[in-house]
Amino acid sequence: MANVFKVTPKGTKRTKETVLTPEMSIIVTTVHHTLDPFYNGAKEIKEADMRLYGFDYQKACCGKNNFEVKRLD
């Protein structure tokens, strides 16, 4: 069974090309049986951010400390 998480940025983060704001909240479902959506390199988070907001997680050098994670299931 997969887990569902709501991932919300803790604050505003600006880089050359992108801006991350707390309003850019996403809901992701992990394919792995884990309690951490960052477990597999944040693959689902990267895909959801790019699809919904055009935000490149890797270019912005984001990490687990930039986000608040809430488990929904």
Side-chain angles (χ1 to χ4, degrees):
M1 183 171 137
N3 293 318
V4 180
F5 299 93
K6 181 174 184 179
V7 181
T8 307
K10 289 183 179 176
T12 302
K13 182 172 181 170
R14 300 179 199 282
T15 59
K16 289 182 183 179
E17 302 170 6
T18 60
V19 177
L20 179 67
T21 62
E23 292 81 27
M24 296 170 69
S25 180
I26 57 172
I27 296 177
V28 295
T29 303
T30 59
V31 293
H32 298 288
H33 304 288
T34 181
L35 298 177
D36 182 13
F38 294 90
Y39 173 76
N40 64 341
K43 179 182 171 187
E44 291 88 0
I45 295 171
K46 290 176 189 175
E47 290 172 357
D49 275 336
M50 185 57 77
R51 185 181 70 247
L52 295 173
Y53 302 111
F55 177 76
D56 193 336
Y57 179 96
Q58 284 186 291
K59 279 188 180 178
C61 299
C62 288
K64 187 175 183 175
N65 294 333
N66 298 109
F67 297 93
E68 215 174 275
V69 178
K70 182 179 178 184
R71 189 168 174 198
L72 298 179
D73 56 346

